[in-house]
């Protein structure tokens, strides 16, 4: 296939918009880039897709979420985090979560994400094998962080059961082209020191990443100071988890010294501004982290606390939040946010060698945005329009591994009518 857009935004090696450039795809990867006529001439038998109203860019990377929680969207409105979890989410999960729930909720999430430009997501939820199979069937790229929780839960009897199932998941998808896996301890407070130490040892042995909620609120940090005499970052450092394999989600309560330590250890941070603001969890000091050299990706968190999965909207909110809190409009400019939503997320998940930019040899995870729409015109600054003009609603084509998974309101790899029907079914049951 040859894609010929009006504009191409490769993000790397240069994060600038190009004109008159086509992209040739072969076997799910980017085979070549170059002038339209040259690429077409070099691939005479390829199918050609002309996108003359469009900007073609890398697919977005949603670096943290709980995909099946789309079915809990809108529950527990106006509650703070602790009450939201204890009074709404945990009771609902204990009553309803099973493999069927995860299957239907994950399909709904994938349908939503591909329609607004996301081609990869990190999922941290129960029954990860079910979510992985759904995503593989839909042609969607997934990092499955298998849950590790000490207390009995809808998925397991406790930590050891979680671990056994998680390692089996890792073996099952070891060589899968779309699904990668990592350890997913829910949080330091939900696992315990002994189990966290075990995670550190095993993750090192099998060379796997660890995805964890960390320093989500100041109250969480205060609890650690009372129970451990130090913050959870200090605890993880002692236990051997604070390293370049750690994907730390939220990170709203950080001292300057902790930022320096995180940077020194090579920890990757995932920023979820919408969820953090909605639950009043705090504000991640993104600009300080970036200034310190920390890799930062973007995540939507679950739809139960967002309530959407539009990463373009997340990029906009992250940019505005940084500007407003520091009273400095120069912070997190649109070009930086486009990179954070694509290559930054890929780096945060350890996948930058495969995705996040349009470069020869990388996976053909691509998104076409209709920039002729009135809301996108005039196109003085394409980066600004992508971030600040609801670009998620202007996505017309989404490709994962060169396969079209969304095109102009259709989902070629999903039964969208069945997906909607199952969502309505769960809406009735949970109500």
């Amino acid at each position: 296939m040859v894609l010929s857009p009006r504009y191409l935004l490769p993000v790397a090696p240069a994060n600038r918009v190009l004109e008159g450039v086509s992209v040739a795809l072969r076997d799910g990867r980017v085979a070549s880039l170059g002038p339209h006529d040259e690429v077409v001439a070099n691939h005479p038998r390829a199918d050609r897709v002309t996108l003359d109203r469009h900007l073609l860019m890398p697919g977005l990377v949603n670096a943290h979420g709980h995909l099946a929680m789309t079915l809990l969207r809108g529950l527990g409105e106006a509650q703070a985090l602790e009450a939201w979890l204890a009074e709404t989410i945990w009771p609902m999960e204990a009553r309803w979560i099973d493999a069927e729930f995860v299957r239907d909720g994950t399909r709904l999430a994938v349908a939503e994400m591909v329609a607004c430009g996301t081609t990869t997501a990190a999922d941290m939820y129960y029954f990860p094998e079910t979510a992985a199979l759904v995503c593989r069937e839909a042609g969607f790229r997934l990092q499955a962080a298998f849950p590790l929780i000490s207390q009995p839960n809808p998925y397991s009897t406790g930590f050891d059961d979680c671990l056994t199932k998680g390692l089996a998941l890792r073996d099952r998808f070891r060589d899968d082209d779309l699904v990668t896996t990592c350890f997913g301890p829910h949080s330091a407070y939900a696992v315990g020191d002994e189990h966290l130490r075990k995670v550190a040892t095993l993750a090192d042995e099998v060379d796997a990443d660890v995805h964890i909620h960390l320093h989500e609120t100041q109250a969480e940090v205060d609890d650690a100071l009372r129970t451990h005499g130090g913050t959870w970052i200090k605890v993880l450092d002692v236990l051997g988890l604070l390293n370049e394999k750690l994907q730390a989600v939220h990170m709203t309560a950080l001292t300057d010294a902790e930022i320096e330590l995180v940077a020194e250890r090579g920890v990757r941070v995932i920023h979820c501004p919408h969820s953090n603001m909605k639950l009043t969890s705090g504000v991640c000091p993104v600009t300080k982290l970036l200034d310190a050299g920390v890799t930062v990706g973007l995540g939507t968190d679950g739809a139960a606390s967002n309530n959407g999965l539009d990463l373009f909207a997340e990029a906009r909110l992250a940019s505005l939040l940084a500007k407003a809190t520091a009273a400095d409009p120069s912070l997190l400019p649109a070009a930086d946010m486009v990179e954070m939503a694509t290559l930054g997320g890929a780096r945060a998940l350890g996948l930058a060698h495969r995705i996040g930019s349009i470069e020869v040899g990388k996976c053909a995870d691509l998104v076409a945005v209709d920039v002729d729409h009135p809301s996108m015109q005039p196109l003085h600054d394409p980066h600004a329009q992508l971030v600040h003009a609801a670009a998620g609603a202007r996505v017309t084509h989404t490709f994962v591994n060169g396969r079209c998974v969304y095109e102009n309101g259709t989902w070629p790899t999903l039964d969208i009518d069945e997906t909607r029907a199952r969502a309505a079914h769960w809406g009735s049951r949970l109500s």
Side-chain angles (χ1 to χ4, degrees):
M1 184 188 300
V2 171
L3 303 178
S4 299
R6 183 190 303 179
Y7 304 106
L8 181 75
L9 176 55
V11 174
N15 186 8
R16 60 187 179 89
V17 174
L18 309 174
E19 294 188 58
V21 176
S22 286
V23 182
L25 314 181
R26 182 187 293 118
D27 299 327
R29 295 186 177 270
V30 176
S32 65
L33 295 85
H36 290 323
D37 293 343
E38 178 182 312
V39 172
V40 171
N42 289 339
H43 302 274
R45 291 193 296 272
D47 293 333
R48 185 177 182 188
V49 179
T50 300
L51 300 166
D52 53 7
R53 299 174 48 184
H54 300 78
L55 179 147
L56 188 69
M57 63 180 291
L60 308 187
V61 179
N62 186 348
H64 176 71
H66 313 285
L67 301 190
M69 291 183 83
T70 49
L71 298 181
L72 302 177
R73 194 193 320 259
L75 297 178
E77 285 292 299
Q79 289 182 303
L81 176 63
E82 292 78 7
W84 178 76
L85 287 171
E87 298 172 17
T88 300
I89 298 302
W90 289 339
M92 292 294 282
E93 289 179 332
R95 172 67 181 85
W96 294 107
I97 300 302
D98 58 15
E100 180 185 13
F101 180 101
V102 170
R103 180 200 66 198
D104 295 341
T106 302
R107 281 183 184 152
L108 183 63
V110 170
E112 179 179 353
M113 287 189 290
V114 297
C116 55
T118 292
T119 55
T120 299
D123 185 36
M124 186 190 208
Y125 209 56
Y126 304 113
F127 300 94
E129 64 281 355
T130 299
L133 290 172
V134 166
C135 290
R136 187 169 67 179
E137 180 182 351
F140 184 78
R141 196 176 304 282
L142 182 76
Q143 175 191 270
F146 53 83
L148 296 170
I149 303 175
S150 296
Q151 297 300 316
N153 58 74
Y155 175 61
S156 70
T157 58
F159 179 85
D160 290 337
D161 190 23
C162 279
L163 186 59
T164 298
K165 291 177 177 178
L167 293 175
L169 177 82
R170 177 176 171 78
D171 287 341
R172 181 173 182 177
F173 291 94
R174 183 182 304 276
D175 299 316
D176 197 274
D177 193 38
L178 287 174
V179 178
T180 56
T181 62
C182 68
F183 291 80
H186 174 273
S187 55
Y189 61 82
V191 177
D193 294 3
E194 179 184 349
H195 290 154
L196 288 172
R197 187 177 287 108
K198 189 170 187 178
V199 170
T201 300
L202 289 173
D204 182 62
E205 287 178 357
V206 301
D207 192 27
D209 280 5
V210 177
H211 191 92
I212 188 172
H213 300 102
L214 187 63
H215 282 224
E216 185 169 1
T217 66
Q218 186 60 50
E220 175 192 327
V221 175
D222 293 341
D223 285 342
L225 291 169
R226 284 192 295 270
T227 59
H228 287 70
T231 67
W232 289 121
I233 284 178
K234 292 290 187 181
V235 171
L236 294 193
D237 196 29
V238 170
L239 297 175
L241 272 171
L242 201 74
N243 56 42
E244 69 284 350
K245 305 298 287 184
L246 190 68
Q247 303 171 12
V249 183
H250 296 304
M251 299 286 270
T252 68
L254 297 173
T255 65
D256 289 345
E258 286 169 335
I259 291 172
E260 291 181 12
L261 180 61
V262 164
E264 180 182 329
R265 297 289 190 266
V267 173
R268 290 162 274 157
V269 171
I270 297 157
H271 180 33
C272 304
H274 194 137
S275 175
N276 289 342
M277 292 176 71
K278 189 166 188 277
L279 296 172
T280 63
S281 300
V283 178
C284 177
V286 174
T287 54
K288 286 186 176 182
L289 289 164
L290 292 172
D291 288 344
V294 177
T295 292
V296 179
L298 279 176
T300 59
D301 211 341
S305 62
N306 188 303
N307 293 25
L309 302 178
D310 184 344
L311 206 70
F312 277 115
E314 209 72 31
R316 181 187 191 192
L317 190 59
S319 178
L320 297 178
L321 181 62
K323 297 174 191 298
T325 53
D328 184 351
S330 70
L331 298 181
L332 296 193
D336 290 359
M337 295 314 305
V338 169
E339 181 172 349
M340 189 182 294
T342 54
L343 191 55
R347 288 169 176 152
L349 301 185
L351 297 174
H353 61 294
R354 299 176 62 191
I355 61 171
S357 59
I358 304 177
E359 298 179 85
V360 173
K362 281 196 171 184
C363 298
D365 291 8
L366 311 169
V367 169
V369 179
D370 179 1
V371 293
D372 264 7
H373 191 277
S375 68
M376 303 291 286
Q377 287 291 322
L379 205 63
H380 295 305
D381 183 340
H383 292 94
Q385 296 300 79
L386 290 171
V387 173
H388 294 293
R394 311 300 166 220
V395 170
T396 61
H397 298 71
T398 301
F399 301 87
V400 179
N401 265 2
R403 182 186 186 188
C404 185
V405 296
Y406 177 78
E407 182 177 1
N408 290 314
T410 65
W411 289 259
T413 63
L414 284 169
D415 184 336
I416 194 62
D417 291 333
E418 175 67 9
T419 299
R420 290 190 181 108
R422 294 302 299 170
H425 163 78
W426 283 105
S428 297
R429 290 184 72 184
L430 271 62
S431 292

